Amino acid sequence: MIKTEMLRVFVEVARAGNLVRAAESLGRAPSAVSMTLKQLEAHLGQPLFESERKSRLTALGTYVFEMSNRELAHFDRTITALTDFASARRGEVRIAVVPSFAMTILPELVLEFTAASPNVRLDIHDMDSASIQRELDRERIDLGIVSDARQSAEVRLVELAEDHFGVVMRADNPLATCKKVSWQALAKADLIANPLCERIDEPELHGALARAHLRVHNTTTLLTMVRAGLGVTLLPELVCQQADSQITFRELASPVAPRRIDLISRARDTPSPATSAFAEFLTARMAERTDILLAKA
Amino acid sequence: MIKTEMLRVFVEVARAGNLVRAAESLGRAPSAVSMTLKQLEAHLGQPLFESERKSRLTALGTYVFEMSNRELAHFDRTITALTDFASARRGEVRIAVVPSFAMTILPELVLEFTAASPNVRLDIHDMDSASIQRELDRERIDLGIVSDARQSAEVRLVELAEDHFGVVMRADNPLATCKKVSWQALAKADLIANPLCERIDEPELHGALARAHLRVHNTTTLLTMVRAGLGVTLLPELVCQQADSQITFRELASPVAPRRIDLISRARDTPSPATSAFAEFLTARMAERTDILLAKA
DNA sequence: TTGATCATTTCATTTTTTCTGAAAGAAACT
DNA sequence: AGTTTCTTTCAGAAAAAATGAAATGATCAA
């Protein structure tokens, strides 16, 4: 049976034009090289060299030399691809991320990761948490960054950060003078309701939300309303990162349960090395972060 | 070091989804397969299967499976190409042939050879003997079929056939009634000179040629002259094969030295297997032939 | 849950393959 | 012819791969 090693030996001898030097560069004794060559010739049934001195190739030798070179190059590329993939130097990671994270923290992390792993392709989509869950189930993505996910037999979960709710207002709003905003102070302001803050489980807030004249879904629109002075709203700090200096964020005097940002993946599957590497990179970098806005519990 | 055999074993296990069946179709004991697989995983540093039961692949496994399939297909194609080339089932033979042979005997031989060796490409040129020699020297052809070549240290030569000179005339020429033409009879006819017959070393002929009023180089033109009744000429029988029923060929009463048809190749090179195969086929078929027109000496 | 069954791994041993080093045989150089 | 350099041959050493038996682990059904 013809093996790649035979081809490698033959190519080296043909290139060196000499068995001794070939043996040297292959790290073998000349006799071993001679025998391997004999074996290959036996398989082909024809000599590869014109004479015993391995300098001139026969027509068969020339053909085998060319084909072997191609084959070995192909083989070596394949092996490199395999080891690169296995060591996360190569691969593809499909990630879906909630917009608040995608627009604020993610870019710098991606920049750093791709600089270190230029051959790993990151495929980033942004969508809402429910869609991300669905896409993960369908194996259309490898990782998801969502808010308040639930761990399950299907879902592996790591907490990346905690995002605290606070009051978002225009910079000139009277509330901006306080360091922290109490429920009483908030009650006096015009509150704009939004889906994120409605999930907060806090009796004091429910009344205020019930009194709200305005309810806005889209975050960008919501911030535009605030900027226009139509009222204040309640949002996780991270979401406000998208805003400009016209917008001011203030903590609540009695903080409510933070909104968790979680990294999720399919529990039943071993992720690809590149996916693991990216996940580990993310969790490590997020664990290091001590920014006020994302202080861990 | 990762070897093709490891990839082959892995692919078989992944395909079978089961180590025992894979071992069976590989003709190995399960333990051998298990160890080879372990070795591959050790090289990659990551598992290839989700669980110990070899049914579900990891992301790495899927990648390695795809790459290995491609690699093995490429490798097998290469080996097939090498063995096909070595056994003359594949290859290219560049041949230059003198027109007389190319237009008469060669076609049927080529037909038979290509039917038997469909993957051997025959590259046939026709040119005069001197050009063929030159092309062979320059390694632009592998084989030449020429007339009256000389053997040398550079040229390997095999005689393919002997071509006898005879008188070529229009069918209604009085000479056509004789079975063989004597010098005396020939002297009375109008002889058209041509380069082929001028090389004949025969005193009786020299006088006749000296008296010739016409001398024509191109064979086709020469035969047209004969057909037009301008005279008779002297040609090897093979050359006349191109002619039609209007032309009659008659042997000489006292035959002159035949024109040899030789197969030549470069003596210093081992020809490619396909070239050898074609050369052997040619000589064998020509040796078999007992046609009157090419009777061997 | 507990066996029962089947698949996989481990390990000591055997078999096969490959490598080495010495010596002989060939070609090229002087 | 003599010398040098290269290649092959061969027997033994070393390495690699395969085997078979036993152990371990997983799955399924009661």
Side-chain angles (χ1 to χ4, degrees):
Chain A
M1 212 202 192
I2 297 179
K3 300 200 199 147
T4 26
E5 283 319 291
M6 294 180 186
L7 303 185
R8 213 178 284 282
V9 165
F10 165 66
V11 161
E12 195 49 45
V13 175
R15 207 193 309 272
N18 170 314
L19 198 141
V20 174
R21 261 172 294 159
E24 210 167 311
S25 73
L26 287 164
R28 303 267 105 97
S31 56
V33 174
S34 174
M35 287 163 117
T36 307
L37 221 50
K38 268 267 131 61
Q39 221 180 124
L40 180 58
E41 285 182 335
H43 276 295
L44 296 172
Q46 305 281 339
L48 292 161
F49 293 92
E50 282 293 354
S51 61
E52 297 204 356
R53 294 292 171 108
K54 309 311 193 193
S55 47
R56 275 182 63 228
L57 292 167
T58 58
L60 175 63
T62 305
Y63 184 75
V64 175
F65 182 69
E66 282 170 18
M67 293 298 277
S68 299
N69 268 318
R70 275 190 240 167
E71 176 52 38
L72 292 172
H74 192 274
F75 181 76
D76 292 345
R77 269 201 308 280
T78 300
I79 300 305
T80 304
L82 296 188
T83 52
D84 279 3
F85 189 96
S87 65
R89 283 191 297 272
R90 176 188 304 226
E92 189 192 35
V93 188
R94 298 165 304 169
I95 318 156
V97 191
V98 288
S100 62
F101 195 87
M103 299 177 79
T104 54
I105 299 174
L106 191 61
E108 54 181 298
L109 295 175
V110 165
L111 195 68
E112 187 184 348
F113 185 82
T114 52
S117 305
N119 293 319
V120 173
R121 180 190 161 84
L122 297 181
D123 216 56
I124 302 172
H125 301 261
D126 67 275
M127 56 185 82
D128 62 87
S129 292
S131 302
I132 293 175
Q133 269 287 1
R134 196 163 2 94
E135 293 290 282
L136 193 73
D137 271 352
R138 293 180 182 172
E139 306 193 9
R140 291 166 54 93
I141 57 169
D142 305 306
L143 294 175
I145 297 176
V146 299
S147 68
D148 299 314
R150 279 180 307 285
Q151 183 137 23
S152 73
E154 300 293 332
V155 176
R156 186 189 298 112
L157 182 151
V158 182
E159 184 179 325
L160 285 181
E162 292 190 337
D163 195 5
H164 298 272
F165 277 92
V167 183
V168 182
M169 64 201 80
R170 194 158 82 173
D172 61 3
N173 190 295
L175 288 176
T177 55
C178 326
K179 217 161 166 215
K180 298 194 174 188
V181 181
S182 64
W183 292 125
Q184 292 89 331
L186 186 60
K188 288 174 204 145
D190 291 318
L191 185 62
I192 307 174
N194 72 61
L196 288 175
C197 72
E198 279 167 354
R199 291 175 59 192
I200 298 172
D201 192 22
E202 192 72 42
E204 306 250 23
L205 183 57
H206 284 351
L209 284 172
R211 281 193 303 279
H213 295 107
L214 213 48
R215 184 162 184 277
V216 178
H217 284 255
N218 180 279
T219 309
T220 312
T221 308
L222 183 61
L223 289 172
T224 306
M225 298 291 180
V226 171
R227 209 177 281 114
L230 271 73
V232 306
T233 192
L234 226 67
L235 277 178
E237 189 169 6
L238 190 54
V239 177
C240 300
Q241 290 289 98
Q242 305 163 48
D244 51 43
S245 59
Q246 289 185 267
I247 299 279
T248 301
F249 178 89
R250 286 289 174 268
E251 290 177 45
L252 287 166
S254 44
V256 299
R259 173 178 179 253
R260 271 204 341 269
I261 303 288
D262 300 315
L263 177 66
I264 58 174
S265 54
R266 279 185 299 283
R268 301 224 189 276
D269 294 354
T270 305
S272 78
T275 301
S276 299
F278 186 70
E280 274 158 36
F281 170 79
L282 265 186
T283 50
R285 277 288 173 283
M286 291 309 291
E288 279 169 14
R289 286 187 83 124
T290 49
D291 309 25
I292 318 127
L293 85 137
L294 285 168
K296 299 283 303 270
Chain B
M1 214 206 189
I2 297 179
K3 301 201 198 145
T4 29
E5 282 319 291
M6 294 181 185
L7 303 185
R8 214 177 284 280
V9 165
F10 166 67
V11 161
E12 196 48 44
V13 174
R15 208 192 307 272
N18 172 312
L19 196 139
V20 174
R21 260 173 296 159
E24 210 167 310
S25 73
L26 287 164
R28 303 268 107 94
S31 56
V33 174
S34 174
M35 285 162 117
T36 307
L37 222 50
K38 267 267 131 60
Q39 223 181 121
L40 179 57
E41 286 181 335
H43 275 296
L44 296 172
Q46 306 281 339
L48 292 161
F49 293 92
E50 282 293 355
S51 61
E52 297 205 354
R53 295 289 173 108
K54 310 311 195 194
S55 47
R56 276 182 62 228
L57 292 167
T58 59
L60 175 63
T62 305
Y63 184 76
V64 174
F65 182 69
E66 282 170 18
M67 294 298 278
S68 298
N69 267 318
R70 272 188 243 169
E71 176 52 38
L72 292 172
H74 192 275
F75 181 76
D76 292 344
R77 268 202 307 281
T78 300
I79 300 306
T80 304
L82 296 188
T83 52
D84 278 4
F85 190 96
S87 65
R89 281 191 298 270
R90 177 186 303 225
E92 190 192 36
V93 188
R94 298 165 303 170
I95 318 155
V97 190
V98 288
S100 61
F101 195 87
M103 299 177 79
T104 52
I105 299 174
L106 191 61
E108 54 183 298
L109 295 175
V110 165
L111 196 67
E112 187 184 349
F113 185 82
T114 52
S117 307
N119 293 318
V120 173
R121 182 189 160 86
L122 297 181
D123 218 56
I124 302 171
H125 302 259
D126 66 274
M127 57 185 82
D128 62 87
S129 292
S131 302
I132 293 175
Q133 269 288 1
R134 196 165 359 94
E135 293 292 281
L136 194 73
D137 272 352
R138 293 181 183 170
E139 304 193 7
R140 293 166 52 91
I141 57 169
D142 305 305
L143 293 174
I145 297 177
V146 300
S147 67
D148 299 313
R150 278 179 306 287
Q151 183 138 22
S152 73
E154 299 293 331
V155 176
R156 186 189 297 114
L157 182 150
V158 181
E159 185 180 325
L160 284 182
E162 293 191 335
D163 196 3
H164 299 271
F165 278 92
V167 183
V168 181
M169 63 200 81
R170 196 159 79 171
D172 61 3
N173 192 294
L175 289 176
T177 57
C178 326
K179 222 169 160 200
K180 298 193 174 186
V181 181
S182 65
W183 291 126
Q184 292 89 329
L186 187 60
K188 288 174 201 144
D190 291 318
L191 185 62
I192 307 175
N194 71 63
L196 288 175
C197 71
E198 281 167 353
R199 292 174 58 194
I200 298 172
D201 193 22
E202 191 74 39
E204 307 251 21
L205 183 58
H206 285 348
L209 284 172
R211 283 193 302 279
H213 295 109
L214 213 50
R215 184 166 186 276
V216 179
H217 285 253
N218 180 279
T219 310
T220 311
T221 308
L222 182 61
L223 290 172
T224 306
M225 299 294 179
V226 171
R227 210 177 281 116
L230 272 73
V232 305
T233 191
L234 227 67
L235 278 178
E237 190 168 5
L238 190 54
V239 177
C240 299
Q241 290 289 99
Q242 305 164 49
D244 51 46
S245 59
Q246 290 186 265
I247 301 277
T248 299
F249 178 88
R250 286 289 174 269
E251 290 175 46
L252 287 166
S254 43
V256 301
R259 173 179 178 251
R260 268 205 344 269
I261 303 288
D262 299 315
L263 176 66
I264 58 173
S265 53
R266 279 185 298 284
R268 300 225 189 276
D269 294 353
T270 304
S272 77
T275 300
S276 300
F278 186 72
E280 274 157 36
F281 170 81
L282 265 187
T283 49
R285 277 288 172 284
M286 292 308 292
E288 279 168 16
R289 285 187 83 123
T290 49
D291 309 28
I292 317 129
L293 85 138
L294 285 167
K296 297 283 304 269

